[in-house]
């Protein structure tokens, strides 16, 4: 499981997802990626849905209960 922030220095979350795509075929297990952002913009949420391996979109901050829920459940976007 990867918690991936959209806004990161050097390589943003979207760039990371595009670079990850060709590597997914070599992974032994299915990867769960949760997008994490302070953005509530519909554009960002819709863009996250374009990546089939992104299993959730969460608006920061993440509290302890939310974090535990994300670890145990599959969260939809």
């Amino acid at each position: 499981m990867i918690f991936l922030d959209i806004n990161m220095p050097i390589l943003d979350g979207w760039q990371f997802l595009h670079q990850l795509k060709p590597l997914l075929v070599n992974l032994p297990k299915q990867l769960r990626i949760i997008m994490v952002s302070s953005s509530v913009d519909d554009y960002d949420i819709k863009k996250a849905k374009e990546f089939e391996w992104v299993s959730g979109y969460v608006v920061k901050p993440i509290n302890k209960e939310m974090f535990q829920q994300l670890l145990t459940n599959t969260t939809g976007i």
Side-chain angles (χ1 to χ4, degrees), residues 4 13 20 29 37 46 57 70-71 73:
L4 180 62
L20 177 67
K29 289 184 167 184
S37 179
K46 288 177 184 175
Y57 186 97
L70 290 167
L71 291 176
N73 299 325

Side-chain angles (χ1 to χ4, degrees), residues 3-19:
F3 288 88
L4 180 62
D5 199 329
I6 291 176
N7 296 313
M8 300 184 298
I10 302 171
L11 187 72
D12 70 26
W14 307 122
Q15 293 167 322
F16 176 88
L17 289 173
H18 285 290
Q19 290 189 16

Side-chain angles (χ1 to χ4, degrees), residues 3-69:
F3 288 88
L4 180 62
D5 199 329
I6 291 176
N7 296 313
M8 300 184 298
I10 302 171
L11 187 72
D12 70 26
W14 307 122
Q15 293 167 322
F16 176 88
L17 289 173
H18 285 290
Q19 290 189 16
L20 177 67
K21 185 176 181 175
L23 304 175
L24 291 174
V25 295
N26 297 322
L27 295 177
K29 289 184 167 184
Q30 183 178 358
L31 184 61
R32 259 183 84 204
I33 298 176
I34 308 293
M35 298 297 293
V36 180
S37 179
S38 57
S39 171
V40 293
D41 189 334
D42 284 340
Y43 173 80
D44 289 329
I45 296 167
K46 288 177 184 175
K47 188 170 182 177
K49 289 181 182 181
E50 294 175 8
F51 298 91
E52 62 187 57
W53 58 91
V54 173
S55 59
Y57 186 97
V58 179
V59 178
K60 295 189 283 188
I62 299 175
N63 61 34
K64 182 178 177 180
E65 292 79 21
M66 185 185 301
F67 181 73
Q68 289 174 332
Q69 181 181 6

